[in-house]
């Protein structure tokens, strides 16, 4: 009976966290939007997420609810249900409304971080974010808030762009190369330097940093740092605080150091150069005060 609620691999701890996420979403979001709408969102998002994962061949059989739990977390963040403690004993009351969406995001990050099959879990969580984000974007107010934030050149826009670049670097950009192009100036004069084929033949790149770490060609510490910054990237972008960018700067510096100590390291490629840029850019993002465009 409980098999559809089980995470991507057997394990009581991850199953406990997944059940806690479902309990939080059901207790708070269902109370806010109603049972019928919550049930429709749960079933609909699960079907769409499963269709996406099966259509693109990411999974051969999809039973786990992890993708739909992530999608519901996006919807829950937009609705932002609150829990009030007025009816509790005086010793347990707090002078503010509790926003359980942050508890859900923390548990989702832990679920992604603790998985034994990180690539598969990352794909499932990514599909959930995409499906939930598509549903949230149906609200015109989301587009208005995004436009106002872009016009104001807010911290949220800059942080989102740089974190997206960081994730793209870890997943797709080659980290190192075994040879430098020998006819660079000639290629620059005749325009071949603008051709992707020329770069692939003259200076073939290695796989991206995360792929090297998963293959055991980077240290275990580098793999853990990659998992950590990927798992908490999306929730941190939604928080009203900015201090976390300094820790991501340190993570980029450490990844550069671990890359240079890898057995496959020879010369820097575009992925390494972008990591160095991100270490500088994330440190220079302004301020340690809370971002005003977010709610606490």
């Amino acid at each position: 009976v409980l098999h559809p609620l089980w995470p991507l691999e057997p394990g009581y701890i991850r199953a406990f966290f997944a059940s806690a996420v479902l309990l939080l979403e059901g207790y708070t979001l269902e109370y806010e939007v109603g049972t019928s709408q919550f049930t429709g969102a749960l079933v609909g998002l699960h079907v769409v997420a499963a269709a996406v994962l099966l259509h693109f061949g990411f999974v051969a059989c999809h039973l786990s609810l992890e993708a739909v739990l992530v999608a519901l977390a996006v919807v829950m963040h937009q609705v932002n249900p609150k829990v009030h403690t007025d009816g509790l004993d005086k010793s347990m009351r707090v002078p503010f409304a509790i926003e359980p969406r942050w508890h859900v995001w923390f548990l989702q990050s832990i679920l992604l971080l603790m998985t034994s099959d990180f690539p598969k879990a990352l794909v499932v969580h990514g599909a959930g974010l995409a499906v939930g984000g598509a549903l949230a974007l149906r609200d015109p107010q989301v587009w208005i808030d995004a436009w106002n934030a872009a016009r104001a050149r807010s911290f949220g826009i800059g942080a989102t762009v740089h974190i997206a670049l960081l994730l793209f670097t870890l997943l797709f950009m080659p980290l190192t190369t075994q040879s430098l192009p020998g006819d660079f100036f000639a290629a620059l004069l005749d325009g071949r330097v603008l051709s992707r084929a020329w770069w692939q033949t003259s200076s073939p790149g290695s796989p991206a940093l995360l792929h090297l770490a998963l293959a055991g060609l980077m240290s275990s510490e580098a793999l853990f740092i990659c998992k950590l910054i990927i798992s908490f990237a999306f929730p941190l972008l939604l928080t009203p605080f900015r201090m976390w960018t300094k820790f991501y700067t340190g993570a980029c510096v450490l990844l550069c150091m671990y890359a240079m100590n890898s057995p496959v390291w020879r010369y820097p490629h575009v992925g390494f150069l972008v990591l160095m840029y991100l270490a500088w850019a994330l440190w220079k993002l302004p301020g340690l005060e809370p971002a005003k465009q977010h709610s606490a």
Side-chain angles (χ1 to χ4, degrees):
V1 176
L2 295 178
H3 182 69
L5 303 180
W6 216 251
L8 295 174
E9 68 273 348
Y12 290 99
I13 296 180
R14 295 195 76 247
F16 173 79
F17 284 143
S19 301
V21 171
L22 182 61
L23 178 64
L24 283 171
E25 293 177 345
Y27 178 76
T28 58
L29 184 60
E30 180 182 2
Y31 181 81
E32 188 75 21
V33 302
T35 302
S36 59
Q37 187 172 350
F38 176 81
T39 305
L42 178 66
V43 175
L45 290 173
H46 182 62
V47 171
V48 175
V52 171
L53 293 170
L54 293 171
H55 174 74
F56 290 101
F58 293 129
V59 295
C61 179
H62 182 65
L63 292 175
S64 174
L65 289 181
E66 284 198 39
V68 70
L69 292 180
V70 177
L72 282 175
V74 179
V75 178
M76 183 175 174
H77 189 88
Q78 181 190 13
V79 176
N80 191 18
K82 296 180 175 62
V83 176
H84 300 273
T85 58
D86 300 340
L88 299 178
D89 185 80
K90 290 185 178 180
S91 61
M92 302 178 63
R93 295 178 187 175
V94 292
F96 52 85
I98 300 174
E99 297 184 3
R101 58 180 181 173
W102 301 114
H103 303 78
V104 170
W105 282 125
F106 176 77
L107 290 174
Q108 293 285 10
S109 299
I110 294 298
L111 277 173
L112 181 56
L113 181 64
M114 291 178 56
T115 181
S116 60
D117 191 352
F118 187 76
K120 183 178 179 181
L122 182 59
V123 169
V124 170
H125 279 240
L129 289 174
V131 173
L135 181 60
L137 289 175
R138 295 172 62 246
D139 186 1
Q141 188 61 39
V142 175
W143 294 94
I144 295 174
D145 293 340
W147 173 251
N148 291 335
R151 290 183 58 191
R153 301 179 66 183
S154 66
F155 168 84
I157 297 297
T160 301
V161 170
H162 285 87
I163 292 301
L165 179 59
L166 174 61
L167 296 180
F168 187 82
T169 302
L170 296 178
L171 292 173
F172 301 109
M173 289 189 179
L175 178 68
T176 181
T177 180
Q178 298 301 312
S179 61
L180 295 177
D183 56 343
F184 178 79
F185 291 104
L188 182 64
L189 293 177
D190 59 22
R192 286 180 296 156
V193 73
L194 302 177
S195 172
R196 180 183 177 184
W198 180 82
W199 283 102
Q200 290 177 336
T201 56
S202 300
S203 184
S206 68
L209 194 151
L210 180 60
H211 297 275
L212 291 174
L214 291 171
L217 298 175
M218 301 279 292
S219 65
S220 58
E221 293 83 1
L223 177 59
F224 178 76
I225 292 175
C226 290
K227 290 182 176 180
L228 189 66
I229 62 180
I230 292 174
S231 299
F232 285 91
F234 192 78
L236 287 174
L237 286 173
L238 299 173
T239 62
F241 304 105
R242 305 181 179 184
M243 183 65 183
W244 58 269
T245 57
K246 311 306 177 184
F247 293 96
Y248 270 59
T249 292
C252 291
V253 173
L254 289 175
L255 288 177
C256 289
M257 296 171 62
Y258 283 123
M260 289 186 289
N261 287 284
S262 170
V264 299
W265 174 263
R266 185 70 182 271
Y267 300 108
H269 210 286
V270 61
F272 183 84
L273 299 178
V274 173
L275 275 178
M276 294 181 61
Y277 161 75
L278 288 170
W280 171 82
L282 290 171
W283 182 264
K284 297 294 289 185
L285 283 176
L288 302 180
E289 69 277 6
K292 296 181 180 179
Q293 69 271 17
H294 294 281
S295 59

